[in-house]
Amino acid sequence: MNRVGIGYDVHRLKKGRALILGGVEIPHNTGLDGHSDADVLMHAICDAVLGAIGEGDIGQFFPNTDPQWRDAPSKVFLEEAARQVAKQNGKLVNVDSMLIAEEPKIGPHIEAMKTNIASALGIPADSVGIKATTNETMGFAGRGEGMAAHAVASVQLPD
Ligand code: MG
């Protein structure tokens, strides 16, 4: 049985925070704000994977009121999502994602992000898609107030 899931996340950009995307720290004058490391890309992918297996969302597994997840590296969320797939005897086929960020340039970091995400999910790096676009200076992402990410995931579950 083939299943798909969708994920979306957004975080605000703030001075004094590290910018972590796909598990890579990228030099920038602002970073994403949040309870965990605020890795908007990993969060969207996590929700896509959980969605594909009908397991709710990242907030149910990792409430942002729980001090244990403060500044947590978001790879632990992906590792848990992969565990949930395994628990249903499922196989994660691929994930694809889209990051919306006005700056900085993401291209040079995409391969490293793919490696991190693939490793956390236990799938090959070529099963992880990451694209990035600006928002053409429009809206919150375009003004550099935040970043957004969309993701989809495909999972095979036993019939
Ligand atoms: Mg988030």
Side-chain angles (χ1 to χ4, degrees):
M1 180 167 51
N2 294 318
R3 302 281 295 265
V4 295
I6 185 173
Y8 171 77
D9 195 27
V10 60
H11 281 267
R12 201 177 275 278
L13 282 160
K14 191 180 164 186
K15 284 202 188 304
R17 288 274 298 185
L19 176 60
I20 313 277
L21 290 169
V24 177
E25 183 166 347
I26 298 174
H28 194 48
N29 57 356
T30 54
L32 294 170
D33 194 23
H35 185 68
S36 65
D37 66 2
D39 190 327
V40 68
L41 186 64
M42 283 193 172
H43 293 186
I45 292 171
C46 184
D47 268 353
V49 173
L50 292 173
I53 57 168
E55 278 294 340
D57 66 25
I58 190 171
Q60 287 168 241
F61 284 89
F62 306 102
N64 63 9
T65 48
D66 187 338
Q68 105 171 259
W69 308 120
R70 175 163 292 286
D71 297 323
S74 293
K75 70 172 185 169
V76 303
F77 306 156
L78 289 182
E79 287 163 356
E80 179 59 29
R83 258 195 301 277
Q84 293 298 321
V85 173
K87 205 167 131 189
Q88 294 196 24
N89 297 313
K91 181 183 184 311
L92 184 55
V93 178
N94 76 306
V95 297
D96 193 19
S97 62
M98 188 85 219
L99 177 74
I100 301 153
E102 204 60 28
E103 55 178 9
K105 287 256 177 286
I106 303 301
H109 307 286
I110 283 184
E111 284 310 311
M113 293 180 193
K114 278 187 187 180
T115 301
N116 290 341
I117 290 163
S119 150
L121 290 173
I123 58 175
D126 63 6
S127 300
V128 176
I130 303 174
K131 287 101 62 205
T133 184
T134 70
N135 218 32
E136 296 281 343
T137 74
M138 296 180 289
F140 72 85
R143 291 189 296 268
E145 292 167 14
M147 291 183 181
H150 299 262
V152 292
S154 170
V155 171
Q156 275 177 353
L157 290 180
D159 288 327

